[in-house]
Structures are given as C-alpha cells and as structure tokens.
Amino acid sequence: MILTRGARVTGAVLCGVLAVIVASWLVRDIRAVDFDQLWRYWAGFYNARPRAMPATSALDVALFVVYVVAAVAALRSSVAATTLVAVGVITLVLQLPGLWNISSRAMESSFSDELRSRALICAFVGLAAGIALIITAGAGRRPPVDSYEQTPSRPGPGASVAAFLLLCAAGAVLIAWEIRQVVKYSEIFPDWYLGGDRIPHGVVDPPPGWGSAALALLCLVAGVSALFHAVHARPFGLVAAALLLPGGALGVVRIVHYDLLDHFGSLPTETQLTLVSWVFQVFAAVVVLIALAPRGFADVPGPYGQGQGPGYGQPAYGPGSYPGQGNAPYPGQNPGPYQGPQPPAPGYGYPQGGGFGPPPPPSQPPPGW
C-alpha cells in the first residue's frame, strides 16, 4: 500500500510544523545561552557555565533532522506511510511527559511562566501532530495504480541482520544502564522517569529515564522488525539510529576532551563500561544508518515472494521462452517461420509445455499387435 497525494502533502506539512517548533526552541537556547556554552552543557563538560537554563538537549537536534527528512520522505519515498507512523509514535512518546512535568516545581524555579506556557502549548501541538500523522498514514493508503509505481521496500538480508544485531544490542545496553540507575540511585526513582524536583532537564524534553527507556524500546522493536524484513523496519530503524547517535557522539567528544583513553586502564570498571557503551552507541547508529538508508527490496506479491520478482535477476519464464518449451527452437535448430502455438502431436512422448508431477504413461498399442 502507498499513500495518496493528499496524504503525502498532509504528512509533509505536519512534519514541517514539528520541525519549526523544535527549531524555534533551538534558536531560543542559542540566543539565551550562547552556542559555545550550550553545546558544552549538552556534552556534560564540567566547565560549562550557561547564562540561562537550556530548554533543549542534543536530542532536539536529532529530532529536527528526523522531522526534516520525514517531510521529504513523505513526498517522495515508497515507505512514506510507515515513516509517518514512526515519526508520529516517537513524537507522542517524547511529548507526553510534558503534560504533567512542565508545571512541576522544578520547572517553575528554572523557567519563567511565559516560557513554560509556550512549552505547554508546543506539547499539545506536538501530541496533536503525532496523532494526526498516524491517522494520515492509516487513512491515506491506497493500492498501486500500475506496476510503475514504487511499492514499499523491505530491508535486504544483510541490512536486516546488521540492524537486528546492532539495534537489539544497543537497546539491551540502554536497559542495562537503566537497571543500574534504579539499583544504585533508588532515591531518584520515580523522578528519573516521570520528572520531579530532583531531576532537572529541559522544559521541552522528557525526563532522562523516560527518554532512555523509550529509545531502548524503539531500538528493540526496530531490530526485531528488521529480522523479519517488515516494511516498517527501515523507517523505525532509521529513526532509532538517528536518536541513538547524539548521546554516543557527545560521549565520544567527552572522551576526547578529557583524554580518558590515555588513562583507560586506571579508570574504575563502571567508567570503562561507560566509555565502551558510548563508542558502541556511535558505531551501532552509524552502521544502521548506512545499512538501512538505501532502498531495499520492493514488496512484490506473488509466487516470487517478498522482495523478489522478474525485475530482481530472475528470468520471467513463459511459453516459448526457453528451449524445449512450447514452440521455441533448440540451439542450432532452424526456427523457420513462426506458426504460433501448435497442438501436441499424437503418439509416444510427453505433452509439450512441461508441468509439475509425474509424466503420463506411454500410450498402449492397439489390440492384436
């Protein structure tokens, strides 16, 4: 199934609205905080001294890129429907905590009433846009009109295996760190996931635990979907990899900035595991992006199976298309004038044209022979 022209335009407009909202908050932080201090704050540098509390995080940069790419994909890609669903789902998940978290006491002490009011309005708009994206993707589907239209594509075998292994491993690593957080710092639960006075974060971002758990679940769903060559595996996998990349990339920047690899052997075991997790996160995100970005196999129904057909290297055999079938000549035989399909000649032998099953028995001679 593909999207109608109206659904494509609607989806692109909704993604554009979400991109504009995220961009406006990023511009606000650059002006209020100063870009140099802003990215230092995002990276977790100890010497970061922002002039004001940032409202965003590095996750918002990845979301902006996702929304822009999704807007273009909605207009041009064969997987536009599943792309809109993926973007709508992740938007709903990330915007939902704002309904109860923006008005908390921690937000009141860090952000002005005007800023919190704007953030609450943006949260409602984001939730409405996420729901609209899912509805648009479901209501705007139609079957292809002819064979020239691009059908939704599935990831190939190599891309599916790579995405399954790396995304599931990344999701497992994120879950392991969340379990460590709850066990070691039980006093911050449930503020770590639901927001509260003890966990400061951006006014437009979800609580850290909520965002990490959502990303882990997204990685696992995308990885398992890739293993089964599902149509939605590519959009969900690309979105998961795009959101996975910023955390690992900023972690690698922190490693380089503080020369942590020079003293890797003397670091505590937990710190070593943290550094390895950051590097693996970047590696997994980059490989998945490279593996799933190219168009996969077309979703062609019929006896060839998913992603296969005459256009994928298999000859479309038919009557007279290879020697020994129908009226086609054998190699070296003079074909002569074409006379069209001929009826089978009487006598011994098998009927022309072939077929499955055992051959018929030879004809019997007349009685008395």
Side-chain angles (χ1 to χ4, degrees):
M1 304 294 286
I2 58 179
L3 282 183
T4 61
R5 180 64 181 175
R8 288 178 178 271
V9 174
T10 303
V13 170
L14 291 172
C15 291
V17 169
L18 292 172
V20 170
I21 292 175
V22 176
S24 65
W25 284 104
L26 291 173
V27 171
R28 179 265 170 192
D29 275 359
I30 292 174
R31 290 180 175 178
V33 181
D34 186 70
F35 179 74
D36 182 66
Q37 294 297 324
L38 179 62
W39 82 268
R40 287 175 176 273
Y41 176 84
W42 287 350
F45 289 173
Y46 303 131
N47 59 350
R49 297 293 184 269
R51 294 178 297 182
M53 181 67 180
T56 60
S57 66
L59 178 66
D60 294 285
V61 178
L63 279 176
F64 174 75
V65 175
V66 167
Y67 289 144
V68 171
V69 173
V72 177
L75 296 175
R76 305 182 59 180
S77 176
S78 63
V79 290
T82 50
T83 300
L84 296 183
V85 172
V87 173
V89 169
I90 197 61
T91 301
L92 287 175
V93 171
L94 296 181
Q95 293 291 339
L96 188 60
L99 297 183
W100 64 78
N101 197 33
I102 292 176
S103 59
S104 64
R105 286 183 297 176
M107 293 298 176
E108 291 179 0
S109 61
S110 301
F111 302 98
S112 64
D113 293 340
E114 180 185 358
L115 207 62
R116 289 188 295 109
S117 299
R118 288 171 51 191
L120 190 59
I121 294 173
C122 291
F124 278 111
V125 173
L127 289 172
I131 296 174
L133 284 171
I134 297 175
I135 294 176
T136 301
R141 295 185 303 169
R142 65 169 176 83
V145 177
D146 51 42
S147 59
Y148 294 100
E149 286 190 318
Q150 288 186 347
T151 55
S153 58
R154 304 171 184 267
S160 296
V161 173
F164 167 71
L165 294 176
L166 294 175
L167 288 178
C168 288
V173 169
L174 291 174
I175 292 175
W177 281 113
E178 289 306 309
I179 295 174
R180 174 260 184 193
Q181 287 289 100
V182 174
V183 172
K184 189 172 182 178
Y185 303 102
S186 58
E187 66 275 6
I188 66 174
F189 184 81
D191 291 359
W192 179 254
Y193 293 99
L194 300 179
D197 300 339
R198 290 170 290 185
I199 305 297
H201 58 86
V203 69
V204 296
D205 287 328
W210 180 286
S212 182
L215 180 56
L217 183 60
L218 178 64
C219 289
L220 293 177
V221 171
V224 174
S225 301
L227 180 64
F228 291 97
H229 304 278
V231 174
H232 62 269
R234 288 183 60 225
F236 274 84
L238 290 172
V239 171
L243 300 183
L244 190 68
L245 184 59
L250 290 178
V252 172
V253 170
R254 202 175 310 161
I255 293 173
V256 175
H257 181 76
Y258 291 108
D259 297 326
L260 296 178
L261 292 182
D262 297 339
H263 313 284
F264 185 82
S266 60
L267 295 175
T269 303
E270 185 172 313
T271 305
Q272 292 177 346
L273 292 176
T274 302
L275 304 188
V276 173
S277 299
W278 287 337
V279 175
F280 172 74
Q281 196 169 329
V282 172
F283 172 77
V286 171
V287 172
V288 171
L289 288 173
I290 295 174
L292 296 182
R295 176 177 168 81
F297 293 102
D299 187 17
V300 180
Y304 300 102
Q306 297 175 351
Q308 297 182 356
Y312 285 86
Q314 297 183 359
Y317 291 132
S321 60
Y322 61 91
Q325 180 183 13
N327 199 45
Y330 289 93
Q333 179 182 357
N334 184 13
Y338 177 70
Q339 300 177 357
Q342 301 297 321
Y348 296 98
Y350 304 141
Q352 297 294 320
F356 296 100
S363 58
Q364 300 296 325
W369 281 66

